[in-house]
Amino acid sequence: EFCSSLAGIMLLEVVLVLGTLLIYFFFTKKKEETLPFKDGWWGKGQKPVTQEDTSVRPFKVETTEEELSDLFRRLDQARFTEPLENSCFHYGTNSVHLRKVVSYWKNQFNWKKQVEVLNKYPQFKTKIQGIDIHFVHVKPPRLPEGQAAKPLLMVHGWPGSFYEFYKIIPLLTDPASHGLGDEHIFEVICPSIPGYGFSEAPHKKDFNSVSAASVFYELMLRLGFNEFYTQGGDWGWLICTNLAQIAPNHVKGLHLNMASVSKLGLTHLLSVLLGRYFPGLFGFQDEDVRRMFPFLKKGLYRILLESGYAHIQATKPDTVGCGLNDSPVGLAAYILEKFSSWTDMEFQNLEDGGLERKFSLDDLLTNVMIYWVSGCIVSSMRFYKENLQKGIGTQKHEKLTVQVPTGIASFPNELLHTPQAWAKKKYTNIVSFHFMPRGGHFAAFEEPELLAKDILQFVGKVEKEQLWKKK
């Protein structure tokens, strides 16, 4: 009985694979399809008839006494709710610990000093498709003779910011000083997604990941980069993926520390049901099995337990955003909860959410402050609605593969694990796929050295084999 059903499943697999291959060759041999560039205009009101100002202007983060006194007044007047006894972070941010964070924020955290930290890298703004785009642009301090810097676009996600990359930037622009050799040296560009941090928010509906990818593509061309690498996690994963689909001849390589696959077929379903028992049949490695199973606990329940915020943000972002934009304590509670559970799900069992095990309070509060002073929480949340309101799996970019050479760094504490066997159906040219020894969702922020090393080895492979020329 068991053997015959197994044989039946295997036969079904063979039929599916052959059928898929036939369809694949039949439809894709004609032309590798690219994603259309989205030429939108996101400014206020009517689009002006005059030519857009394409100048690139230096930018510095600034603060005022008014801004700080307003913040302190709000922190002083915060109303806290008593947490349930022994609830740790299971109900969200624990307000006993939140009081300590707020006390640090008021008495020790120095925003003026952190503004100087933010300004240690050159920042700029430029108008693209009607809105001001903010970005950090760091050139290498030194280059060996005859060597050119490789442009690298790094894109953050929610609820992060361009600040997540501040510790990895020197490892990439000056690897030799950090024991990482000088074979590959990068010129790093970290933009803020429109509606995040110091990038202007779109004033019109429908600004989604393809819009952001189109804007960043235009940014790279404006800066004079015809060929470049891209790197991202969280929304950065999707924006960089879309950019590789829009401009495959300009993106030399795509490096991801999160790879999600939205188009799931019968093979995925079978692998979820049977992959634990027949890993080889589905191309799973031992580590895939460890990270994915039992699937109910590590897949389905985890999605249900951790995605409530996404449902709110994909439906009614403006309602909940009202309170968050008005209360710095509410904003910190909302954002810091993610830096706890997305760094390690086990941190929910700790009264302090394990927040300072991987990050300093200065770093965490600097990220919160970028949201606070720019007043961007509502527009950052709207990005979920723009990306998800048409339903998962319905958009063109979800149906297209990615042919650009791809490197994936798979961190063990990422919320949902995507095995290479699944990823390669979407990313057809995976050059490197590595199980990282430690780290979670905010890889660049939490484990800058691990991520930098993985980017360097990936680029090394692409360059050595000149893989982008073989696309």
Side-chain angles (χ1 to χ4, degrees), residues 432-450:
S432 82
F433 184 102
H434 290 136
F435 294 111
M436 306 306 277
R438 61 185 180 276
H441 185 73
F442 303 99
F445 205 36
E446 184 194 342
E447 292 288 352
E449 197 172 321
L450 282 182

Side-chain angles (χ1 to χ4, degrees), residues 289-322:
V289 175
R290 258 196 299 279
R291 292 185 187 186
M292 288 172 72
F293 299 100
F295 192 77
L296 270 185
K297 177 176 175 262
K298 293 183 180 177
L300 200 60
Y301 292 164
R302 193 171 283 182
I303 292 171
L304 290 172
L305 285 168
E306 287 302 319
S307 64
Y309 80 98
H311 201 100
I312 289 175
Q313 293 174 191
T315 51
K316 304 285 166 59
D318 286 37
T319 307
V320 67
C322 231

Side-chain angles (χ1 to χ4, degrees), residues 157-382:
W158 187 91
S161 61
F162 66 96
Y163 182 60
E164 285 179 70
F165 298 117
Y166 268 46
K167 286 182 173 64
I168 200 173
I169 286 171
L171 307 184
L172 296 167
T173 56
D174 188 13
S177 298
H178 300 88
L180 298 172
D182 63 359
E183 198 184 347
H184 305 291
I185 299 172
F186 296 93
E187 182 167 342
V188 178
I189 297 92
C190 303
S192 294
I193 300 169
Y196 288 70
F198 304 112
S199 277
E200 188 177 347
H203 298 274
K204 304 200 168 9
K205 295 185 291 186
D206 295 326
F207 186 94
N208 60 15
S209 62
V210 182
S211 317
S214 301
V215 164
F216 291 165
Y217 177 38
E218 215 165 306
L219 171 67
M220 293 304 274
L221 293 178
R222 186 171 294 180
L223 295 175
F225 302 122
N226 203 33
E227 288 189 325
F228 51 89
Y229 286 91
T230 63
Q231 201 287 326
D234 197 87
W235 282 129
W237 141 73
L238 188 56
I239 293 168
C240 291
T241 294
N242 292 162
L243 184 40
Q245 292 170 318
I246 290 168
N249 297 326
H250 296 263
V251 177
K252 289 175 82 172
L254 166 68
H255 188 279
L256 304 169
N257 55 276
M258 177 182 122
S260 196
V261 182
S262 57
K263 214 171 146 242
L264 299 174
L266 184 60
T267 327
H268 294 99
L269 183 63
L270 286 172
S271 68
V272 162
L273 295 171
L274 302 167
R276 195 179 184 180
Y277 311 103
F278 310 104
L281 187 64
F282 300 101
F284 289 171
Q285 296 176 47
D286 292 347
E287 186 62 21
D288 291 318
V289 175
R290 258 196 299 279
R291 292 185 187 186
M292 288 172 72
F293 299 100
F295 192 77
L296 270 185
K297 177 176 175 262
K298 293 183 180 177
L300 200 60
Y301 292 164
R302 193 171 283 182
I303 292 171
L304 290 172
L305 285 168
E306 287 302 319
S307 64
Y309 80 98
H311 201 100
I312 289 175
Q313 293 174 191
T315 51
K316 304 285 166 59
D318 286 37
T319 307
V320 67
C322 231
L324 300 177
N325 196 43
D326 195 51
S327 161
V329 175
L331 181 68
Y334 199 69
I335 289 176
L336 294 181
E337 178 218 288
K338 303 305 177 208
F339 280 88
S340 166
S341 56
W342 293 0
T343 299
D344 191 333
M345 291 285 287
E346 293 300 316
F347 286 175
Q348 294 188 24
N349 301 316
L350 304 169
E351 181 140 315
D352 65 356
L355 281 167
E356 288 174 78
R357 293 198 174 188
K358 284 300 194 95
F359 311 108
S360 71
L361 271 185
D362 279 350
D363 283 341
L364 290 169
L365 288 172
T366 298
N367 181 63
V368 171
M369 283 294 283
I370 288 168
Y371 279 82
W372 177 254
V373 300
S374 65
C376 76
I377 189 65
V378 178
S379 51
S380 78
M381 289 158 67
R382 286 178 187 150

Side-chain angles (χ1 to χ4, degrees), residues 4 25 88 104 117 139 205 294 296 344 382 399 407 428:
S4 64
F25 284 117
C88 298
Y104 181 89
V117 171
K139 295 178 179 180
K205 295 185 291 186
L296 270 185
D344 191 333
R382 286 178 187 150
K399 295 165 187 167
T428 59

